């Protein structure tokens, strides 16, 4: 990596523990619980190939398994590091359970990771509260979400603080807003250059569709929760847009479903294309370009 970069390319990607478009039981569309080593390695190879094509200097990744039965015990952080031009990574846990009895899921060790061509000199995990509506037993086996704060030394250019996030997805008791407020506060406290974002599990203010998404399974299916975004959920993003520069401006996002669909990045079913925009990047600096990557070929030189 150059000692004094004029520009740094940043990618955020929820890699879904290398599950690709497999339909898992907890999304309500399939009955899969575990993947084979062959499946995981094939999907990791595809992820690595996409990273190498896009050539980011920094990757903010979510749902990275390092020792989970469901992903054949493959250490995905190490595989990504080995297959790309990154020289460093930092990982923090978000779901660390030795055994989950449901459907024989077993051990899960999943978290967030920042990969970098430049030295990572500090890695901090900030715990986020769990839903108070859930029982102690449920919370014991469930995710303990976190804010990951890393400091990346860009040589003579200085230090860049990277705030990597994946707050709660389905909470209806206000926990999502609590998480978003904490993410904003921690990002705001960063000194100097900063980039924050990740899979924020909330759609942008002004989204045309806030419920009844095409990828939702029947709610009487085990593990399925209805996804609805409240005004408070969407409003929690407004301070981010007001304080920093988004890689995708709200004006570009548009006002109609047809316009906004070009920026969708999430679906729980392999049978349904992306239905919501959940992924974001904001910075204290300026973006020289930005792309929403929806499929192979998108990005610099092709796609949006």
């Amino acid at each position: 990596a150059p000692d004094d970069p004029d520009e740094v390319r940043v990618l955020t990607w929820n890699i879904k523990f290398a599950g690709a478009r497999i339909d898992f039981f907890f999304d309500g569309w399939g009955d899969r619980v575990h993947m084979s080593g062959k499946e995981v390695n094939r999907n990791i190879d595809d992820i690595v190939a996409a990273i190498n094509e896009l050539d980011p200097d920094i990757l903010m990744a979510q749902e990275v398994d390092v020792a989970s039965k469901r992903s054949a015990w493959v250490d995905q952080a190490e595989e990504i590091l080995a297959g790309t031009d990154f020289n460093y990574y930092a990982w923090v846990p978000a779901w660390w359970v030795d055994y989950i009895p449901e459907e024989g899921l077993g051990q899960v060790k999943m978290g967030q990771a920042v990969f970098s061509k430049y030295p990572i000199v500090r890695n901090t995990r900030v715990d986020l509260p769990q839903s108070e509506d859930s029982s102690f037993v449920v919370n014991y086996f469930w995710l303990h979400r976190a804010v990951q704060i890393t400091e990346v030394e860009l040589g003579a250019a200085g230090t860049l603080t990277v705030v990597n996030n994946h707050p709660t997805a389905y909470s209806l008791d206000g926990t999502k807003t609590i998480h978003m407020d904490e993410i904003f506060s921690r990002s705001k406290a960063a000194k100097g250059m900063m980039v924050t974002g990740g899979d924020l599990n909330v759609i942008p203010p002004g989204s045309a569709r806030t419920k009844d998404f095409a990828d939702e399974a029947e709610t009487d299916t085990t593990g399925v929760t209805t996804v609805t975004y409240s005004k408070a959920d969407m409003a929690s993003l407004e301070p981010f847009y007001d304080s920093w520069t988004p890689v995708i401006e709200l004006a570009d996002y548009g006002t109609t479903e047809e316009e906004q669909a070009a920026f969708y990045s999430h679906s729980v079913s392999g049978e349904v294309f992306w239905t919501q925009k959940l992924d974001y990047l904001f910075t204290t600096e300026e973006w020289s370009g930005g792309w929403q990557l929806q499929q192979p070929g998108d990005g610099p030189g092709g796609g949006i």
Side-chain angles (χ1 to χ4, degrees):
D3 181 60
D4 188 11
D6 294 325
E7 190 172 85
V8 174
R9 179 173 291 183
V10 182
L11 170 68
T12 181
W13 191 356
N14 182 332
I15 67 167
K16 193 185 176 183
F17 51 90
R21 306 307 294 148
I22 295 172
D23 287 330
F24 291 94
F25 80 95
F26 49 77
D27 289 324
W29 286 93
D31 56 7
R32 290 294 300 277
V33 180
H34 304 117
M35 294 179 284
S36 68
K38 183 177 180 179
E39 287 175 313
V40 175
N41 289 325
R42 180 188 64 218
N43 293 339
I44 284 289
D45 287 346
D46 288 344
I47 290 169
V48 164
I51 292 170
N52 288 332
E53 179 180 345
L54 296 165
D55 193 27
D57 298 295
I58 294 170
L59 166 63
M60 301 158 62
Q62 304 85 42
E63 295 196 23
V64 182
D65 274 4
V66 297
S68 299
K69 183 177 180 181
R70 65 181 180 182
S71 50
W73 311 106
V74 174
D75 188 332
Q76 298 172 359
E78 289 288 346
E79 291 297 318
I80 291 172
L81 184 71
T84 62
D85 289 333
F86 295 125
N87 298 308
Y88 307 86
Y89 81 84
W91 182 90
V92 298
W95 199 5
W96 187 295
V97 185
D98 289 335
Y99 181 76
I100 299 174
E102 185 175 9
E103 302 295 330
L105 189 58
Q107 177 175 296
V108 176
K109 291 187 178 181
M110 179 194 82
Q112 293 141 230
V114 172
F115 297 84
S116 175
K117 295 180 181 178
Y118 297 89
I120 298 174
V121 296
R122 186 181 298 273
N123 181 42
T124 303
R125 182 189 186 281
V126 179
D127 194 47
L128 292 172
Q130 294 178 294
S131 171
E132 294 184 358
D133 278 2
S134 299
S135 69
F136 169 80
V137 173
V138 169
N139 280 339
Y140 179 83
F141 289 102
W142 195 231
L143 286 81
H144 290 74
R145 296 184 184 269
V147 180
Q148 181 186 18
I149 306 171
T150 63
E151 294 180 9
V152 180
E153 291 288 0
L154 300 179
T159 301
L160 174 67
T161 300
V162 179
V163 188
N164 184 24
N165 306 284
H166 190 207
T168 186
Y170 300 116
S171 173
L172 299 176
D173 64 351
T175 301
K176 186 190 295 286
T177 302
I178 293 171
H179 285 190
M180 291 296 292
D181 289 348
E182 180 69 10
I183 291 167
F184 176 77
S185 176
R186 295 288 177 168
S187 302
K188 193 75 171 177
K191 298 179 180 179
M193 299 183 293
M194 185 277 297
V195 60
T196 186
D199 178 352
L200 298 184
N201 273 322
V202 65
I203 57 178
S207 291
R209 179 173 292 278
T210 62
K211 60 181 180 178
D212 299 328
F213 298 98
D215 59 331
E216 286 187 17
E218 295 293 331
T219 54
D220 58 357
T221 306
T222 301
V224 173
T225 303
T226 300
V227 179
T228 301
Y229 297 99
S230 68
K231 290 182 179 179
D233 291 338
M234 290 182 282
S236 68
L237 267 172
E238 291 176 357
F240 292 77
Y241 283 98
D242 293 341
S243 300
W244 305 302
T245 306
V247 71
I248 304 294
E249 297 280 358
L250 284 176
D252 296 326
Y253 180 58
T255 58
T256 67
E257 278 196 68
E258 183 178 8
E259 293 171 327
Q260 294 170 358
F263 300 97
Y264 291 168
S265 57
H266 169 78
S267 169
V268 296
S269 170
E271 302 299 319
V272 182
F273 198 59
W274 317 125
T275 63
Q276 305 151 58
K277 173 176 170 56
L278 301 182
D279 302 281
Y280 302 85
L281 287 171
F282 300 90
T283 185
T284 54
E285 309 308 300
E286 295 181 359
W287 298 105
S288 62
W291 297 267
Q292 178 69 61
L293 311 173
Q294 292 186 318
Q295 57 192 352
D298 286 355
I304 56 174

